[in-house]
Amino acid sequence: MRFLLPIKRSLCAGLLAIAANSSPAFSQAANHCFTAETFPAFANAPLLAKMARGVNLSNWDTDHIEYRPNFATVRELFGQGFTHIRLPIFHSAFNRADFGSADLAEYTRWFLSVIEKLTGFGYAVTIDFHPDGDFNRLLRTNTEAGYRRLEESWRFLAKALQDTNPEFVAVEVLNEPDLTPEIWYSHAERLAHKMRQWLPRHTFVVGPSGPMRHESLADFHPLDDPNVIYAVHFYDPFIFTHQGAEWHPPSDPVRLSVGVPFPSRDNDPRIDELIARLTEEGHFHAVEEVRQIFQEPWTVKDIENAFNTVQRWSQKHGRPVVVNEFGVLSYDAPRTDRLFWLGTVVNAVEERCIGWTHWDYSDGFGIVDPRTHEPDKEALKVLLKSKDASIPQNQ
């Protein structure tokens, strides 16, 4: 997922009004899910239990110091029920293979101190290798050179991480591998074998190629290693979760679409209003794409079906899976719909013994205001399924 800072618009300040006659509270977490009995072939049950509920701590290392997370708030979130942090890391020295640089040494000391702080709060931490466009370009355009650079990067990182506690620290091999499924699987097999020599007890996190979609996991064969957690990302329907995304091209329907609902229904007036506005503005290609996307309504059942695919894979292979990215860009999504979507995803994954980690902490998809460091209380209630969290069934 792309980082969005500096943030151009503040998080929505208004709180959702909870109707007295709205839907029942979301069910409590299935505590039986994350145990050695559930996944007997998995080698690190204590870590898996901690990865049940988490958040991505994006922008912890941003140059915009005022947008870095306040660790007092991070600690508060642990007290409220979050138990896992996904920590994206990357430094430009990896692009140059400059593993002896003073800047990289300082960055390494920095992320090790953050790991120590987070595990001291009680969190499990996944170190997510989250490269930039230049690194991904090398992976994509020169397969063997890209693999060597990735292996060299992990050789360096493994040395830095070797003394961390495997019951609290996992390592994610590569975020959203920009490779074909065949090439990525070959890379993952080779790299996992190497990394296991360097980190014999740490859990690896591995996902399918590309945007790590659930359909891609269905075709991904587990690695020959019992200490791997498999990961997917979930942002469906994309035009809803990314509506108004300012980093997309100006003519992209995702960028042009605001006020997109979830769930949608046949002859949805909000979709009709969006199509009318796009037509009036002359975005005819976007109009056709929006019509195609909403030929059939997007509903709770679509989300449940997606995670049925994940559950079937997990059960077939006896391997644990986490959704380590999901979220809705908050600027233009209707707030009630955003909260409903978040609650729907959490319900679906927890009912299927799938851990989750929300994207993100305080950036555009965030659950904490980056300026005040105040959590979005209504979003937390929905994510953590508090007893008083009730979300309207439809619009």
Side-chain angles (χ1 to χ4, degrees):
M1 174 55 63
R2 179 189 177 102
F3 301 110
L4 306 181
L5 286 181
I7 293 176
K8 297 181 180 178
R9 286 174 278 183
S10 64
L11 293 173
C12 177
L15 296 178
L16 175 69
I18 304 297
N21 60 352
S22 55
S23 66
F26 291 117
S27 59
Q28 296 301 302
N31 294 325
H32 68 279
C33 284
F34 308 105
T35 67
E37 289 74 24
T38 310
F39 298 102
F42 180 65
N44 194 356
L47 175 77
L48 181 61
K50 299 181 187 77
M51 290 180 68
R53 291 174 164 180
V55 64
N56 282 268
L57 202 64
S58 56
N59 299 321
W60 70 273
D61 57 351
T62 179
D63 291 337
H64 302 274
I65 296 174
E66 67 275 20
Y67 289 115
R68 291 178 189 168
N70 179 311
F71 281 95
T73 305
V74 177
R75 185 171 193 167
E76 176 187 338
L77 293 185
F78 180 81
Q80 295 193 31
F82 287 88
T83 54
H84 173 233
I85 296 290
R86 184 171 180 246
L87 193 70
I89 66 165
F90 191 75
H91 191 279
S92 60
F94 292 124
N95 288 326
R96 307 185 300 272
D98 187 7
F99 301 112
S101 77
D103 284 348
L104 181 57
E106 178 60 30
Y107 182 76
T108 302
R109 287 190 290 270
W110 186 13
F111 75 67
L112 287 174
S113 71
V114 172
I115 294 171
E116 184 176 11
K117 186 185 295 289
L118 293 171
T119 56
F121 294 160
Y123 283 107
V125 178
T126 296
I127 301 304
D128 158 38
F129 191 71
H130 210 106
D132 64 7
D134 290 339
F135 196 100
N136 279 329
R137 193 172 302 110
L138 176 63
L139 279 170
R140 186 174 62 249
T141 59
N142 191 327
T143 300
E144 190 56 32
Y147 171 80
R148 288 196 301 271
R149 183 64 51 80
L150 183 60
E151 182 182 299
E152 291 165 354
S153 300
W154 269 112
R155 185 188 299 271
F156 172 86
L157 289 169
K159 186 175 181 180
L161 294 166
Q162 62 186 353
D163 292 330
T164 58
N165 186 345
E167 291 191 4
F168 281 85
V169 178
V171 294
E172 183 170 349
V173 175
L174 182 63
N175 175 70
E176 298 191 346
D178 193 5
L179 296 162
T180 66
E182 297 77 17
I183 291 174
W184 169 235
Y185 190 80
S186 174
H187 281 8
E189 280 192 311
R190 292 169 64 189
L191 187 55
H193 178 72
K194 285 284 189 181
M195 290 174 63
R196 187 53 72 208
Q197 299 173 40
W198 306 327
L199 296 170
R201 296 179 55 231
H202 284 73
T203 295
F204 302 158
V205 179
V206 177
S209 64
M212 297 171 59
R213 289 185 56 84
H214 57 279
E215 306 99 323
S216 301
L217 179 69
D219 298 322
F220 192 89
H221 189 75
L223 301 179
D224 186 19
D225 188 318
N227 197 3
V228 178
I229 293 174
Y230 296 85
V232 296
H233 295 174
F234 189 77
Y235 293 103
D236 286 353
F238 195 80
I239 197 170
F240 170 74
T241 62
H242 285 65
Q243 58 188 290
E246 296 174 348
W247 66 93
H248 281 233
S251 61
D252 191 323
V254 171
R255 178 170 179 169
L256 293 168
S257 298
V258 298
V260 178
F262 184 88
S264 64
R265 57 181 185 265
D266 288 323
N267 303 313
D268 195 306
R270 290 190 289 180
I271 300 300
D272 293 341
E273 290 172 11
L274 172 61
I275 288 173
R277 178 179 64 79
L278 292 175
T279 301
E280 183 179 351
E281 294 172 356
H283 300 297
F284 302 114
H285 176 69
V287 166
E288 290 309 308
E289 287 206 33
V290 170
R291 282 180 172 151
Q292 184 175 357
I293 290 168
F294 290 101
Q295 279 183 339
E296 298 289 337
W298 278 91
T299 67
V300 170
K301 181 58 71 175
D302 293 296
I303 291 178
E304 291 174 342
N305 287 339
F307 291 114
N308 285 339
T309 299
V310 176
Q311 182 185 37
R312 284 192 295 269
W313 186 94
S314 178
Q315 291 176 339
K316 175 182 177 180
H317 298 289
R319 307 299 179 97
V321 182
V322 295
V323 183
N324 63 8
E325 282 192 23
F326 73 103
V328 180
L329 188 61
S330 64
Y331 303 146
D332 293 306
R335 179 165 173 81
T336 304
D337 299 55
R338 176 178 182 244
L339 294 174
F340 182 84
W341 186 93
L342 292 175
T344 300
V345 172
V346 167
N347 261 2
V349 298
E350 292 197 348
E351 287 172 357
R352 292 161 178 78
C353 293
I354 299 167
W356 57 262
T357 301
H358 180 265
W359 184 277
D360 52 49
Y361 177 77
S362 62
D363 205 348
F365 294 71
I367 54 175
V368 173
D369 189 299
R371 295 180 174 87
T372 66
H373 304 292
E374 288 295 319
D376 181 336
K377 294 179 181 179
E378 297 298 330
L380 296 192
K381 286 179 182 179
V382 169
L383 289 168
L384 299 173
K385 303 198 292 190
S386 299
K387 293 180 179 179
D388 57 345
S390 298
I391 306 301
Q393 287 286 351
N394 210 327
Q395 318 310 318

